Amino acid sequence: MTNQYELFLALQNPGQATLDFLLEMAAGKYGNESIERGTRFDYPDELFLTLSPEARESLPARYDAVNDERQKALLAGILLAGADHAIVLKLAQDKTGRRVIGQSGWNTRSKILNFHQPTGSGSSSYSLIPRDLSELRKGLYGLTRSSDPETAKFAADYLVQIDAERDEEGGTDAGPRHPDISSGRPWPVVNEVGNAGLPDASPTSA
C-alpha cells in the first residue's frame, strides 16, 4: 500500500485527488497523521477552485452528513473558501464550523468582506472591492439571540470583528450601521452575549 508520505505528496495537486479520498484521509484511514500537516495552509482554497460545480453544491450536504470531527473540519475549510455569506452563517451555528472560521487566515477573512479584483491580465495583484455585508450582518445579529449560548456569543463577537475591519478599511458607507433595524432591538447589544473580541480560534472552543 502507498505509504502516508506518498499520499501527502499527491495532495500537492488538488485536481489529482478526489473529495472522497481526501475525506478518507482526514478520517485517518491511511494513517493517523493529521491531514493539515501534509498540506499547505491554503489547500482548502485551492481545492475549492478545482472542484466541479456539482461537487461544490454537494459540500453543505456532505458537511451535514459526516460525524467525524476531522472530516467536518476539512469540509468546513473548503466551504469557507467559497466566501459565501449564507455558508458562513451556516458554519457559525456549528461547533466545528465556528472553530474553522476562527482559525481562518487573512485571505479567507478578506474574501468574506471584499471581492478580490485583479489589477491586470496575468497579474497576481488585486484591488479590494467591498462586498455587500447586509445579509451577513443581519444573519449574525439574528444569531446573537440563538438559544445556544456558544452560537450567540460567537455571532456577537464575529459581528463586532466584521464591523471593526469594515471601519478600518473605510467601508462605513456600505449600509446602515444597525444590522437589522426592523428587529426593534438596540445596536449594539453584543455586550449581552459577547466580549467584542475576536472569535476564539482554539481547538477547544465551541
Side-chain angles (χ1 to χ4, degrees), residues 38-56:
T39 56
R40 298 178 300 276
F41 72 93
D42 60 348
Y43 187 73
D45 302 72
E46 293 188 27
L47 181 56
F48 180 83
L49 293 175
T50 68
L51 293 177
S52 67
E54 293 76 16
R56 292 181 185 179

PDB file of all heavy atoms in Angstrom, residues 38-56:
ATOM      1  N   GLY A  38       0.208  17.658   6.217  1.00  0.00           N
ATOM      2  CA  GLY A  38       0.742  17.266   4.916  1.00  0.00           C
ATOM      3  C   GLY A  38       0.320  18.189   3.796  1.00  0.00           C
ATOM      4  O   GLY A  38       0.638  17.936   2.629  1.00  0.00           O
ATOM      5  N   THR A  39      -0.393  19.245   4.111  1.00  0.00           N
ATOM      6  CA  THR A  39      -0.881  20.162   3.075  1.00  0.00           C
ATOM      7  C   THR A  39      -0.557  21.594   3.450  1.00  0.00           C
ATOM      8  O   THR A  39      -0.321  21.912   4.605  1.00  0.00           O
ATOM      9  CB  THR A  39      -2.407  20.030   2.901  1.00  0.00           C
ATOM     10  OG1 THR A  39      -3.055  20.260   4.159  1.00  0.00           O
ATOM     11  CG2 THR A  39      -2.784  18.643   2.391  1.00  0.00           C
ATOM     12  N   ARG A  40      -0.573  22.450   2.445  1.00  0.00           N
ATOM     13  CA  ARG A  40      -0.316  23.870   2.686  1.00  0.00           C
ATOM     14  C   ARG A  40      -1.515  24.514   3.371  1.00  0.00           C
ATOM     15  O   ARG A  40      -2.627  24.012   3.319  1.00  0.00           O
ATOM     16  CB  ARG A  40      -0.043  24.575   1.347  1.00  0.00           C
ATOM     17  CG  ARG A  40       1.177  24.051   0.613  1.00  0.00           C
ATOM     18  CD  ARG A  40       1.343  24.766  -0.718  1.00  0.00           C
ATOM     19  NE  ARG A  40       0.178  24.580  -1.578  1.00  0.00           N
ATOM     20  CZ  ARG A  40       0.001  23.511  -2.352  1.00  0.00           C
ATOM     21  NH1 ARG A  40       0.896  22.536  -2.344  1.00  0.00           N
ATOM     22  NH2 ARG A  40      -1.063  23.404  -3.122  1.00  0.00           N
ATOM     23  N   PHE A  41      -1.274  25.663   3.999  1.00  0.00           N
ATOM     24  CA  PHE A  41      -2.337  26.335   4.754  1.00  0.00           C
ATOM     25  C   PHE A  41      -3.478  26.761   3.837  1.00  0.00           C
ATOM     26  O   PHE A  41      -4.626  26.876   4.261  1.00  0.00           O
ATOM     27  CB  PHE A  41      -1.773  27.550   5.493  1.00  0.00           C
ATOM     28  CG  PHE A  41      -1.427  28.710   4.597  1.00  0.00           C
ATOM     29  CD1 PHE A  41      -2.329  29.727   4.356  1.00  0.00           C
ATOM     30  CD2 PHE A  41      -0.191  28.769   3.967  1.00  0.00           C
ATOM     31  CE1 PHE A  41      -2.020  30.789   3.521  1.00  0.00           C
ATOM     32  CE2 PHE A  41       0.136  29.835   3.132  1.00  0.00           C
ATOM     33  CZ  PHE A  41      -0.779  30.842   2.912  1.00  0.00           C
ATOM     34  N   ASP A  42      -3.167  27.022   2.541  1.00  0.00           N
ATOM     35  CA  ASP A  42      -4.193  27.479   1.607  1.00  0.00           C
ATOM     36  C   ASP A  42      -4.772  26.336   0.787  1.00  0.00           C
ATOM     37  O   ASP A  42      -5.437  26.565  -0.222  1.00  0.00           O
ATOM     38  CB  ASP A  42      -3.627  28.556   0.680  1.00  0.00           C
ATOM     39  CG  ASP A  42      -2.434  28.050  -0.147  1.00  0.00           C
ATOM     40  OD1 ASP A  42      -1.907  26.951   0.153  1.00  0.00           O
ATOM     41  OD2 ASP A  42      -2.029  28.756  -1.094  1.00  0.00           O
ATOM     42  N   TYR A  43      -4.533  25.104   1.225  1.00  0.00           N
ATOM     43  CA  TYR A  43      -5.014  23.954   0.458  1.00  0.00           C
ATOM     44  C   TYR A  43      -6.532  23.956   0.280  1.00  0.00           C
ATOM     45  O   TYR A  43      -7.013  23.679  -0.826  1.00  0.00           O
ATOM     46  CB  TYR A  43      -4.557  22.657   1.126  1.00  0.00           C
ATOM     47  CG  TYR A  43      -4.866  21.430   0.303  1.00  0.00           C
ATOM     48  CD1 TYR A  43      -4.155  21.138  -0.851  1.00  0.00           C
ATOM     49  CD2 TYR A  43      -5.901  20.573   0.671  1.00  0.00           C
ATOM     50  CE1 TYR A  43      -4.459  20.029  -1.617  1.00  0.00           C
ATOM     51  CE2 TYR A  43      -6.197  19.457  -0.079  1.00  0.00           C
ATOM     52  CZ  TYR A  43      -5.470  19.187  -1.226  1.00  0.00           C
ATOM     53  OH  TYR A  43      -5.778  18.099  -1.981  1.00  0.00           O
ATOM     54  N   PRO A  44      -7.339  24.253   1.310  1.00  0.00           N
ATOM     55  CA  PRO A  44      -8.796  24.288   1.092  1.00  0.00           C
ATOM     56  C   PRO A  44      -9.199  25.264  -0.005  1.00  0.00           C
ATOM     57  O   PRO A  44     -10.120  24.983  -0.782  1.00  0.00           O
ATOM     58  CB  PRO A  44      -9.346  24.719   2.455  1.00  0.00           C
ATOM     59  CG  PRO A  44      -8.322  24.247   3.437  1.00  0.00           C
ATOM     60  CD  PRO A  44      -7.009  24.465   2.736  1.00  0.00           C
ATOM     61  N   ASP A  45      -8.511  26.413  -0.098  1.00  0.00           N
ATOM     62  CA  ASP A  45      -8.815  27.384  -1.152  1.00  0.00           C
ATOM     63  C   ASP A  45      -8.529  26.803  -2.527  1.00  0.00           C
ATOM     64  O   ASP A  45      -9.338  26.928  -3.458  1.00  0.00           O
ATOM     65  CB  ASP A  45      -8.001  28.664  -0.960  1.00  0.00           C
ATOM     66  CG  ASP A  45      -8.238  29.316   0.384  1.00  0.00           C
ATOM     67  OD1 ASP A  45      -7.762  28.745   1.389  1.00  0.00           O
ATOM     68  OD2 ASP A  45      -8.877  30.377   0.437  1.00  0.00           O
ATOM     69  N   GLU A  46      -7.372  26.153  -2.660  1.00  0.00           N
ATOM     70  CA  GLU A  46      -7.004  25.558  -3.939  1.00  0.00           C
ATOM     71  C   GLU A  46      -7.975  24.448  -4.310  1.00  0.00           C
ATOM     72  O   GLU A  46      -8.365  24.298  -5.472  1.00  0.00           O
ATOM     73  CB  GLU A  46      -5.578  25.027  -3.883  1.00  0.00           C
ATOM     74  CG  GLU A  46      -4.514  26.102  -3.756  1.00  0.00           C
ATOM     75  CD  GLU A  46      -3.122  25.536  -3.912  1.00  0.00           C
ATOM     76  OE1 GLU A  46      -2.973  24.503  -4.598  1.00  0.00           O
ATOM     77  OE2 GLU A  46      -2.178  26.097  -3.342  1.00  0.00           O
ATOM     78  N   LEU A  47      -8.322  23.638  -3.327  1.00  0.00           N
ATOM     79  CA  LEU A  47      -9.233  22.530  -3.587  1.00  0.00           C
ATOM     80  C   LEU A  47     -10.592  23.036  -4.032  1.00  0.00           C
ATOM     81  O   LEU A  47     -11.200  22.505  -4.970  1.00  0.00           O
ATOM     82  CB  LEU A  47      -9.365  21.656  -2.339  1.00  0.00           C
ATOM     83  CG  LEU A  47     -10.272  20.430  -2.453  1.00  0.00           C
ATOM     84  CD1 LEU A  47      -9.828  19.541  -3.611  1.00  0.00           C
ATOM     85  CD2 LEU A  47     -10.253  19.644  -1.145  1.00  0.00           C
ATOM     86  N   PHE A  48     -11.093  24.077  -3.367  1.00  0.00           N
ATOM     87  CA  PHE A  48     -12.387  24.635  -3.748  1.00  0.00           C
ATOM     88  C   PHE A  48     -12.382  25.050  -5.220  1.00  0.00           C
ATOM     89  O   PHE A  48     -13.360  24.822  -5.947  1.00  0.00           O
ATOM     90  CB  PHE A  48     -12.729  25.837  -2.864  1.00  0.00           C
ATOM     91  CG  PHE A  48     -14.051  26.474  -3.183  1.00  0.00           C
ATOM     92  CD1 PHE A  48     -15.225  25.968  -2.668  1.00  0.00           C
ATOM     93  CD2 PHE A  48     -14.121  27.586  -4.017  1.00  0.00           C
ATOM     94  CE1 PHE A  48     -16.452  26.532  -2.974  1.00  0.00           C
ATOM     95  CE2 PHE A  48     -15.338  28.170  -4.323  1.00  0.00           C
ATOM     96  CZ  PHE A  48     -16.506  27.645  -3.802  1.00  0.00           C
ATOM     97  N   LEU A  49     -11.297  25.659  -5.668  1.00  0.00           N
ATOM     98  CA  LEU A  49     -11.212  26.135  -7.045  1.00  0.00           C
ATOM     99  C   LEU A  49     -11.189  24.994  -8.046  1.00  0.00           C
ATOM    100  O   LEU A  49     -11.606  25.156  -9.200  1.00  0.00           O
ATOM    101  CB  LEU A  49      -9.970  27.012  -7.224  1.00  0.00           C
ATOM    102  CG  LEU A  49      -9.977  28.355  -6.473  1.00  0.00           C
ATOM    103  CD1 LEU A  49      -8.631  29.051  -6.640  1.00  0.00           C
ATOM    104  CD2 LEU A  49     -11.110  29.242  -6.965  1.00  0.00           C
ATOM    105  N   THR A  50     -10.687  23.818  -7.645  1.00  0.00           N
ATOM    106  CA  THR A  50     -10.596  22.695  -8.581  1.00  0.00           C
ATOM    107  C   THR A  50     -11.882  21.873  -8.644  1.00  0.00           C
ATOM    108  O   THR A  50     -12.058  21.077  -9.573  1.00  0.00           O
ATOM    109  CB  THR A  50      -9.443  21.749  -8.190  1.00  0.00           C
ATOM    110  OG1 THR A  50      -9.750  21.087  -6.957  1.00  0.00           O
ATOM    111  CG2 THR A  50      -8.136  22.509  -8.059  1.00  0.00           C
ATOM    112  N   LEU A  51     -12.774  22.049  -7.674  1.00  0.00           N
ATOM    113  CA  LEU A  51     -13.991  21.245  -7.646  1.00  0.00           C
ATOM    114  C   LEU A  51     -14.957  21.664  -8.750  1.00  0.00           C
ATOM    115  O   LEU A  51     -15.060  22.844  -9.089  1.00  0.00           O
ATOM    116  CB  LEU A  51     -14.692  21.388  -6.290  1.00  0.00           C
ATOM    117  CG  LEU A  51     -13.972  20.801  -5.068  1.00  0.00           C
ATOM    118  CD1 LEU A  51     -14.774  21.104  -3.807  1.00  0.00           C
ATOM    119  CD2 LEU A  51     -13.770  19.306  -5.227  1.00  0.00           C
ATOM    120  N   SER A  52     -15.674  20.704  -9.266  1.00  0.00           N
ATOM    121  CA  SER A  52     -16.701  20.986 -10.260  1.00  0.00           C
ATOM    122  C   SER A  52     -17.879  21.683  -9.576  1.00  0.00           C
ATOM    123  O   SER A  52     -18.035  21.601  -8.353  1.00  0.00           O
ATOM    124  CB  SER A  52     -17.189  19.691 -10.902  1.00  0.00           C
ATOM    125  OG  SER A  52     -17.877  18.890  -9.935  1.00  0.00           O
ATOM    126  N   PRO A  53     -18.725  22.368 -10.341  1.00  0.00           N
ATOM    127  CA  PRO A  53     -19.913  22.994  -9.739  1.00  0.00           C
ATOM    128  C   PRO A  53     -20.775  21.995  -8.968  1.00  0.00           C
ATOM    129  O   PRO A  53     -21.308  22.313  -7.904  1.00  0.00           O
ATOM    130  CB  PRO A  53     -20.656  23.568 -10.946  1.00  0.00           C
ATOM    131  CG  PRO A  53     -19.575  23.842 -11.950  1.00  0.00           C
ATOM    132  CD  PRO A  53     -18.597  22.717 -11.773  1.00  0.00           C
ATOM    133  N   GLU A  54     -20.878  20.776  -9.507  1.00  0.00           N
ATOM    134  CA  GLU A  54     -21.677  19.751  -8.833  1.00  0.00           C
ATOM    135  C   GLU A  54     -21.060  19.375  -7.491  1.00  0.00           C
ATOM    136  O   GLU A  54     -21.773  19.196  -6.494  1.00  0.00           O
ATOM    137  CB  GLU A  54     -21.797  18.507  -9.715  1.00  0.00           C
ATOM    138  CG  GLU A  54     -22.598  18.699 -10.992  1.00  0.00           C
ATOM    139  CD  GLU A  54     -21.834  19.456 -12.074  1.00  0.00           C
ATOM    140  OE1 GLU A  54     -20.583  19.561 -11.957  1.00  0.00           O
ATOM    141  OE2 GLU A  54     -22.474  19.929 -13.034  1.00  0.00           O
ATOM    142  N   ALA A  55     -19.731  19.250  -7.476  1.00  0.00           N
ATOM    143  CA  ALA A  55     -19.052  18.892  -6.227  1.00  0.00           C
ATOM    144  C   ALA A  55     -19.197  20.008  -5.194  1.00  0.00           C
ATOM    145  O   ALA A  55     -19.396  19.743  -4.011  1.00  0.00           O
ATOM    146  CB  ALA A  55     -17.583  18.608  -6.491  1.00  0.00           C
ATOM    147  N   ARG A  56     -19.126  21.250  -5.649  1.00  0.00           N
ATOM    148  CA  ARG A  56     -19.292  22.378  -4.728  1.00  0.00           C
ATOM    149  C   ARG A  56     -20.695  22.381  -4.135  1.00  0.00           C
ATOM    150  O   ARG A  56     -20.871  22.640  -2.941  1.00  0.00           O
ATOM    151  CB  ARG A  56     -19.020  23.695  -5.448  1.00  0.00           C
ATOM    152  CG  ARG A  56     -17.575  23.910  -5.863  1.00  0.00           C
ATOM    153  CD  ARG A  56     -17.402  25.246  -6.554  1.00  0.00           C
ATOM    154  NE  ARG A  56     -16.054  25.420  -7.074  1.00  0.00           N
ATOM    155  CZ  ARG A  56     -15.639  26.483  -7.742  1.00  0.00           C
ATOM    156  NH1 ARG A  56     -16.496  27.488  -7.958  1.00  0.00           N
ATOM    157  NH2 ARG A  56     -14.399  26.573  -8.171  1.00  0.00           N
TER     158      ARG A  56
END
